[in-house]
Each structure stands twice: as structure tokens, then as C-alpha cells.
Amino acid sequence: MIRTLPDARWSCTSCGACCQGFRFGPVEPEVIQNLLNKNIAQAWNPAQSEWYQEKEGAFFLNTTPEGACIFLQPDKKCALHRLYGPEAKPGFCREFPFRPVKIG
């Protein structure tokens, strides 16, 4: 169940804050496979090196040396969204600013 404050509103300002300083995962295996099938390394130059890693049985997107998601463009927008649409992004990206919290 998603709970929000009454009359809560938000919109993307393309600041890129959601794509910096986080642990980017876990990423659904089908998202990784879809990007591999689309040959993301050919479409997005930073993905020519390792763009994801597997840790403890889960996938995570790699970051730049500055701590940003590897798919964050210089204009602070998502390369995956630009190239393939919002459905190509991991679930946690599509659901931002929502995040799971433990209640109780």
C-alpha cells in the first residue's frame, strides 16, 4: 500500500538529485537482461565498461567516480529514459520518490 500526505504533489525538475549518492539497486534481472539485449554499451558510451555488478545474488548499477548513476547524462536526465523510455529503467527509478519503509 502506498500512503501519501493529503494534497502531496511533486514533479521532476531535472536536478539529478535522485540519481546521485545512492546505492542503485537491487535492479530486476529482467531489466539487466533487456539492456544487454538492446546492447546498451553501444548506445551509451559510459556503459562500454562495466555498468552493473552482481552482489550477493542481486544486481546493482555502477556509479561514476562522483557517485552518480552511470546512466545520468550531463544534462541531469536519464540516458535509459531518453534511449528506451521509462519502462527500461529499474523499478526503484520509475517509483521515485517513493521508497519502502518499515512500519511498526
Side-chain angles (χ1 to χ4, degrees):
M1 172 191 323
I2 295 176
R3 297 181 188 172
T4 61
L5 298 173
D7 299 318
R9 301 285 185 266
W10 62 92
S11 63
C12 180
T13 62
S14 298
C15 69
C18 60
C19 303
Q20 299 178 63
F22 294 101
R23 185 173 181 204
F24 298 103
V27 177
E28 301 88 341
E30 56 272 13
V31 170
I32 298 292
Q33 189 59 54
N34 186 38
L35 293 172
L36 289 169
N37 291 345
K38 291 179 183 296
N39 197 5
I40 187 63
Q42 185 176 25
W44 178 242
N45 193 44
Q48 289 181 356
S49 60
E50 292 184 46
W51 55 271
Y52 74 94
Q53 56 187 286
E54 188 174 356
K55 293 181 188 176
E56 302 172 11
F59 296 105
F60 294 84
L61 298 179
N62 284 340
T63 60
T64 66
E66 297 79 29
C69 174
I70 193 151
F71 295 109
L72 184 63
Q73 302 176 133
D75 66 359
K76 304 297 183 200
K77 295 181 181 176
C78 177
L80 296 179
H81 193 117
R82 178 180 58 84
L83 292 165
Y84 306 118
E87 62 281 349
K89 301 188 312 189
F92 60 87
C93 295
R94 292 188 315 268
E95 295 168 355
F96 187 86
F98 297 110
R99 66 185 186 283
V101 295
K102 191 180 253 186
I103 299 175

